[in-house]
Amino acid sequence: MKFKTLCCAIAAIFLATLSYAQGPNRQITVTGKVIDADTSEPLEFATLVLQKVDDPNVITGGITDQNGEFRVEAPAGRYNVRVEFISYRPFTLNNQNITNDKDLGTVELAIDVAQLDAVEVVGEKTTVEVRLDKKVYNLGKDLTTSGATVTDALNNVPSVTVDVEGAISLRGNENVRILINGKPSAMAGFGSTDALKQLPADAIEKVEVITSPSARYDAEGTAGILNIVLKKEKTLGFNGSVSLTTGYPSTSRISANLNLRTNKFNIFTTLGHFYREPPGRANFDNRYFGGSAFDRVTEDREMIRKDNGFNVNLGMEYFLTDRSSITASVFTRLSDEQDDTKNSTTRYIDTTIDSRTLREELEKQDDKSYQISLNYTNHFNDEGHKLTADFQYSTDDETNNTDVFENQFYPSQAYIDRERVFETDVENEYLIQADYVLPMGDAQFEAGYRGDLEHTKNDYELSRYNPETDEFTVDYGLTNVFDYEENVHALYTQYGNKFGKFSFLLGLRLENTQLKGKVTSDLTNEQLMDTLGFEFDPDFDKNYLELFPTVNLTYELGENENISLGYNRRINRPRGWFINPFPSRSSRTNIFQGNPDLNPAFADAFDLGYLKRWDDLTLTSSVYYQRETESFDRVQRETGQQTSDGINIISTIPINLSTNQRYGGEIGLMYGGIDWLQLNGSFNLFKSKTDGEYQGVDYGTDNTSWFSRLSAKVDLPARVAWQTNAFYMGPRENSQTKSDGMLSVDMALSKDIMGDNATISMNVSDLLNSRKRNSFTQSYNDVGDLSFTSDNEFQWRERQFTVSFVYRFNQPKNERNQNRPNGNDMDDEQGGGFQG
């Protein structure tokens, strides 16, 4: 909708420019503002058309900005004046002799009753806007995410996948940067995406998929950026919604989105309480080919994760003047978790069972996250000249107490091991940012600074039980303190302009990255290396100064058709858990440990896109290429160590491989041509090639894979809506592991009640209980002999049934403004960029 009006305006301006070049005339300026006649909300992207009375082929015009205001220059003359917005009745003034500057005042447009049905479905459907540097998915009424979390909602966005452990990928690449309202946020978690599982999906207004980020954005994330924009109501008065959810396996949630707005301030909040016990399971079948006391070891794990927590985001925007505002917000998440993992192990010599053991890990976790944010915005004029400044402080304090028991129960009862782990993980982050935007006619100049300072301290203590003394003693070999700092300072500038059908955005970002880490242990460095099984620098300080250019180009092939080309350079900085060398304790034989010698990876990415709109169908497509150096990969290897009962210990460690190349193409279709049916589908095919070796072993590999999703929403009799989402991830492989394809199906039914002020829905997540990762790993030693194989299956969460009830007050179910920018009326979200 917006794209069509934008194309019309660009064409009108281009024709006017040609006509003006044919003969100079005195210039006049036509100004005014366009609003919705019912809500008085400004209409962004409404079109002003000036058509010469004596020569109808001479047309000029422009579009309104986010405040609904327009300013158009044209030669003096007699014009037919028309103001248009899709699905609204046009405003016309015919035969106007405009010889001086003219202010049309405030133009009120009313909904065209003949098109009312089409307007009402705007809030129901997912629509896509294509801008120079991103695709914006305005999330419609997705039944399968009613009562669900942000993570569930992301799994329904084209180009995005969420694996069985909750890891988010963009075009099959896990190195994606997650932002909330344009900034890194405690709401997105510290170093992981677990926090997104605690935010309700109905808090999202839109998701920006940024595969070719402009220079305004942080260069982190070689796959690109996902910017999650949360809702903040613009309607005057008190309004909001309350949601209740319950389900099986045990899950419950109550959440509320509330808003109080006056002409002087806007108070908004999202708060919720949640409790869930999602069961999961995994099994491993490891076979050893030399050096182990056993030829085969199988593990069957059962996991129950109890999560009880509360989160609140409370903020107020105060309008200092008509052009400036200050916004302050506070976010808090308090979580009390308990994970109970039972690991049953069977050991074989040849094909005969030698022994069986049971290992139980009971982890209690207390997690507290806090964040304060301040934003100042000043619009110097109506043309987009503005300054924004942000300050944000985030802290997360996590305490873990873990008891581990392992005993043999076949062929006889015997004690094996008992441990206690006490761990604290404290992270502090400061963000300082300033952005300046200067329009220059059709052009726009931007510049800014961002400082992101992070410090993490992990204090880990392991105690072992001595059955002879009936006491626990500290294991100083694995007890440690790990300090990690990541400090990034960045300056950027970018310039955008448009010439007729051609638009461009050029940018350059300078970033200085400092990565500092220190391991404090009672062991000497040599003892530490021997204990952990590999060499590394326990006290490192690395510094990188890099330039990150960006180029984004768009050409309008027609009124509803364009092609785009993007290039950008990106960085992948290792997170703290990828750096910490001390191993996990969920298994004595299969462990994960970080690598302090891990360096950042750098990537150059190209993206060629095509968009075409018809009346009932929207097509988006692109082909892309990325070359990443020092790319990360995880390798499994034998550590050369054994458990006390003679089992070889296998560790998974992240390493820098030399080069990774990724080629791919994707296509998406949105169809709404039938009143009772809506279809949304996408397909992504990609190939990756990795070259590199580690400790004399070649880990080069080729991988071709694909994923596809299809969503169908059907309106049934009695105003019942039925939606089914299907997702399939094709088989894939890395340097050591081949993973099978995976199918997941979600289904939901929904009905509006209480005069459309409330909705009740029933949802089944993973209907077929098939969302499982099945993989097979082979590892070779440095002389090329097979060392071990591992066949495993992992299911993070079983099939889930939920029932949800949502009640809305002073808030229409279908917002006509669903597709407009959210938050500050005067400001698109941080990172909006030049829109062309």
Side-chain angles (χ1 to χ4, degrees):
M1 182 183 297
K2 293 182 181 179
F3 187 79
K4 181 176 181 179
T5 56
L6 183 59
C7 290
C8 291
I10 292 175
I13 294 171
F14 180 64
L15 290 173
T17 302
L18 291 179
S19 64
Y20 180 71
Q22 294 171 0
N25 286 307
R26 187 167 61 85
Q27 293 289 100
I28 52 92
T29 302
V30 181
T31 58
K33 182 174 183 178
V34 184
I35 65 172
D36 184 304
D38 295 329
T39 67
S40 297
E41 288 288 306
L43 294 177
E44 183 185 3
F45 295 120
T47 307
L48 170 72
V49 179
L50 301 176
Q51 184 178 37
K52 274 290 189 73
V53 173
D54 54 356
D55 187 357
N57 291 323
V58 178
I59 300 174
T60 190
I63 61 172
T64 58
D65 61 18
Q66 56 197 19
N67 299 315
E69 298 173 348
F70 59 82
R71 180 186 180 91
V72 174
E73 293 185 355
R78 190 174 295 276
Y79 290 94
N80 292 326
V81 180
R82 187 167 68 254
V83 179
E84 298 176 331
F85 193 69
I86 299 297
S87 300
Y88 285 72
R89 291 194 297 270
F91 168 85
T92 58
L93 290 173
N94 291 326
N95 202 22
Q96 300 293 303
N97 187 22
I98 306 177
T99 57
N100 297 301
D101 293 349
K102 186 176 183 65
D103 183 2
L104 297 181
T106 300
V107 178
E108 297 184 356
L109 296 186
I111 289 291
D112 189 342
V113 176
Q115 301 184 46
L116 188 58
D117 290 339
V119 173
E120 288 182 344
V121 302
V122 169
E124 301 286 325
K125 296 180 180 179
T126 294
T127 60
V128 59
E129 303 170 38
V130 176
R131 300 184 182 176
L132 267 171
D133 57 346
K134 59 191 169 188
K135 294 185 179 73
V136 181
Y137 292 93
N138 301 284
L139 298 187
K141 186 181 176 185
D142 192 332
L143 308 185
T144 61
T145 59
S146 179
T149 68
V150 168
T151 301
D152 298 317
L154 289 177
N155 204 35
N156 292 327
V157 174
S159 304
V160 180
T161 57
V162 182
D163 71 10
V164 294
E165 296 175 89
I168 298 170
S169 299
L170 182 59
R171 292 174 169 173
N173 187 343
E174 289 186 9
N175 183 30
V176 56
R177 180 72 155 165
I178 308 294
L179 303 179
I180 302 290
N181 293 334
K183 297 185 287 292
S185 172
M187 286 185 274
F190 290 85
S192 75
T193 56
D194 290 344
L196 296 178
K197 302 172 187 175
Q198 300 173 6
L199 292 176
D202 55 12
I204 301 176
E205 176 178 323
K206 59 187 177 184
V207 176
E208 298 178 342
V209 179
I210 311 171
T211 53
S212 185
S214 68
R216 173 184 280 193
Y217 292 99
D218 182 3
E220 172 71 28
T222 55
I225 295 172
L226 291 179
N227 183 30
I228 301 167
V229 180
L230 302 181
K231 293 177 180 177
K232 190 168 60 174
E233 183 58 49
K234 293 183 176 182
T235 306
L236 292 176
F238 182 58
N239 52 77
S241 64
V242 177
S243 174
L244 302 172
T245 300
T246 186
Y248 176 83
S250 182
T251 184
S252 60
R253 174 190 295 276
I254 179 171
S255 62
N257 294 308
L258 307 174
N259 204 98
L260 175 62
R261 186 181 181 91
T262 71
N263 290 323
K264 197 62 179 176
F265 63 84
N266 183 28
I267 299 175
F268 53 91
T269 183
T270 298
L271 55 97
H273 177 268
F274 55 88
Y275 178 82
R276 55 179 175 264
E277 294 183 19
R281 55 176 37 93
N283 59 68
F284 299 83
D285 187 348
N286 295 342
R287 297 176 185 269
Y288 303 91
F289 300 93
S292 176
F294 303 99
D295 297 299
R296 180 187 178 198
V297 177
T298 63
E299 296 183 20
D300 292 301
R301 294 183 193 174
E302 292 184 358
M303 300 165 287
I304 297 292
R305 301 177 300 277
K306 297 180 181 179
D307 194 359
N308 183 22
F310 171 79
N311 60 267
V312 58
N313 183 45
L314 175 64
M316 184 177 78
E317 180 181 19
Y318 182 77
F319 303 106
L320 300 171
T321 67
D322 291 340
R323 299 186 182 278
S324 65
S325 70
I326 186 168
T327 303
S329 64
V330 178
F331 171 76
T332 301
R333 182 179 65 251
L334 307 176
S335 180
D336 181 16
E337 303 175 25
Q338 179 174 303
D339 294 352
D340 188 359
T341 303
K342 294 181 180 179
N343 194 349
S344 178
T345 301
T346 303
R347 309 163 187 197
Y348 297 82
I349 296 178
D350 291 330
T351 58
T352 303
I353 295 177
D354 175 81
S355 57
R356 287 177 174 168
T357 64
L358 178 64
R359 179 182 178 90
E360 184 171 4
E361 178 182 337
L362 183 61
E363 178 183 3
K364 296 180 179 179
Q365 183 181 101
D366 183 21
D367 192 3
K368 299 181 179 68
S369 294
Y370 304 95
Q371 178 177 287
I372 59 172
S373 302
L374 293 173
N375 168 265
Y376 170 75
T377 300
N378 189 356
H379 287 248
F380 300 103
N381 56 34
D382 296 332
E383 282 71 48
H385 185 196
K386 66 180 179 180
L387 172 69
T388 60
D390 291 272
F391 170 79
Q392 183 172 283
Y393 169 69
S394 307
T395 182
D396 182 71
D397 189 344
E398 184 178 302
T399 301
N400 295 301
N401 284 285
T402 307
D403 287 309
V404 181
F405 309 85
E406 186 163 7
N407 296 287
Q408 179 178 292
F409 61 89
Y410 176 85
S412 60
Q413 300 284 339
Y415 164 83
I416 294 180
D417 192 23
R418 184 178 177 187
E419 300 174 351
R420 281 182 179 170
V421 176
F422 179 74
E423 182 179 10
T424 61
D425 198 353
V426 179
E427 180 166 347
N428 293 287
E429 180 177 359
Y430 294 88
L431 175 70
I432 303 170
Q433 180 172 336
D435 297 283
Y436 176 74
V437 180
L438 176 64
M440 298 178 291
D442 288 339
Q444 182 166 293
F445 168 81
E446 296 184 49
Y449 162 81
R450 172 182 282 189
D452 198 342
L453 313 177
E454 301 179 33
H455 176 253
T456 303
K457 184 175 183 179
N458 180 269
D459 193 337
Y460 182 93
E461 181 182 276
L462 173 67
S463 298
R464 297 186 185 276
Y465 177 70
N466 187 337
E468 296 180 358
T469 63
D470 193 27
E471 293 180 345
F472 284 89
T473 57
V474 176
D475 183 342
Y476 291 102
L478 291 177
T479 296
N480 69 93
V481 176
F482 180 64
D483 276 282
Y484 181 63
E485 290 185 40
E486 179 181 297
N487 301 317
V488 180
H489 296 275
L491 294 170
Y492 81 90
T493 184
Q494 61 184 21
Y495 175 78
N497 206 339
K498 54 186 176 183
F499 300 97
K501 297 182 178 183
F502 176 72
S503 302
F504 68 86
L505 180 62
L506 308 178
L508 185 63
R509 189 177 186 92
L510 175 68
E511 287 195 354
N512 177 252
T513 300
Q514 182 186 38
L515 304 178
K516 294 178 63 177
K518 182 177 182 180
V519 176
T520 303
S521 170
D522 284 357
L523 301 180
T524 65
N525 289 348
E526 291 74 15
Q527 291 172 327
L528 195 60
M529 313 290 180
D530 292 339
T531 299
L532 298 178
F534 66 102
E535 295 184 358
F536 63 91
D537 183 358
D539 187 359
F540 61 88
D541 187 348
K542 303 176 182 179
N543 202 291
Y544 305 87
L545 182 65
E546 299 286 339
L547 285 172
F548 298 92
T550 62
V551 178
N552 288 287
L553 313 173
T554 298
Y555 184 77
E556 309 292 338
L557 297 173
E559 186 173 304
N560 295 305
E561 185 179 18
N562 72 53
I563 57 173
S564 60
L565 176 65
Y567 162 77
N568 64 94
R569 186 170 187 254
R570 312 288 296 164
I571 185 174
N572 181 10
R573 304 180 185 96
R575 306 302 299 174
W577 68 287
F578 256 42
I579 296 290
N580 193 335
F582 288 86
S584 62
R585 305 299 296 167
S586 57
S587 169
R588 291 193 304 140
T589 57
N590 293 279
I591 62 175
F592 177 88
Q593 57 189 136
N595 179 6
D597 283 338
L598 205 61
N599 294 315
F602 295 90
D604 294 280
F606 299 84
D607 187 290
L608 177 64
Y610 172 76
L611 176 136
K612 173 70 173 176
R613 296 179 189 270
W614 294 269
D615 291 339
D616 302 318
L617 182 68
T618 298
L619 165 70
T620 60
S621 61
S622 66
V623 292
Y624 53 89
Y625 168 76
Q626 181 187 88
R627 184 178 185 273
E628 185 175 357
T629 57
E630 295 293 311
S631 60
F632 300 168
D633 204 350
R634 305 182 197 186
V635 299
Q636 287 183 297
R637 63 193 180 92
E638 288 190 325
T639 62
Q641 301 174 342
Q642 293 185 335
T643 62
S644 58
D645 44 358
I647 303 176
N648 288 4
I649 297 176
I650 298 171
S651 74
T652 300
I653 181 173
I655 63 170
N656 288 112
L657 285 180
S658 59
T659 305
N660 176 274
Q661 297 184 78
R662 181 181 294 267
Y663 315 78
E666 62 182 347
I667 186 170
L669 292 170
M670 295 182 182
Y671 176 73
I674 302 176
D675 291 343
W676 52 268
L677 176 65
Q678 299 169 29
L679 296 175
N680 186 345
S682 63
F683 177 82
N684 191 307
L685 174 67
F686 59 90
K687 176 182 176 64
S688 62
K689 181 179 180 181
T690 301
D691 298 311
E693 65 175 42
Y694 179 70
Q695 294 184 343
V697 179
D698 184 3
Y699 290 103
T701 186
D702 286 345
N703 172 46
T704 301
S705 187
W706 59 279
F707 62 88
S708 181
R709 58 167 45 88
L710 176 65
S711 174
K713 183 180 176 185
V714 180
D715 294 329
L716 302 175
R719 301 187 66 188
V720 174
W722 170 31
Q723 183 171 327
T724 300
N725 290 350
F727 172 80
Y728 182 79
M729 168 64 80
R732 58 202 183 282
E733 62 181 285
N734 61 19
S735 57
Q736 291 179 299
T737 302
K738 294 182 178 180
S739 299
D740 296 338
M742 181 179 64
L743 172 68
S744 179
V745 178
D746 301 331
M747 188 176 294
L749 292 170
S750 173
K751 180 174 174 58
D752 294 319
I753 57 177
M754 301 173 64
D756 287 350
N757 288 320
T759 302
I760 187 169
S761 60
M762 294 176 289
N763 181 24
V764 183
S765 176
D766 194 11
L767 177 67
L768 305 178
N769 203 36
S770 57
R771 195 169 177 79
K772 304 174 183 178
R773 182 186 63 207
N774 292 280
S775 59
F776 180 73
T777 299
Q778 291 180 305
S779 179
Y780 294 85
N781 58 30
D782 53 5
V783 296
D785 295 332
L786 186 63
S787 176
F788 71 89
T789 65
S790 179
D791 196 352
N792 68 76
E793 179 181 271
F794 186 89
Q795 184 177 25
W796 181 256
R797 183 179 66 181
E798 294 181 359
R799 176 172 43 215
Q800 182 86 54
F801 300 87
T802 57
V803 178
S804 300
F805 173 78
V806 179
Y807 180 75
R808 298 170 291 273
F809 55 94
N810 299 332
Q811 183 184 81
K813 178 170 71 77
N814 302 318
E815 297 286 344
R816 281 198 297 267
N817 299 330
Q818 176 89 9
N819 294 341
R820 300 179 197 165
N822 183 45
N824 189 337
D825 287 346
M826 299 177 292
D827 186 26
D828 197 4
E829 286 72 39
Q830 293 295 318
F834 180 75
Q835 297 179 14

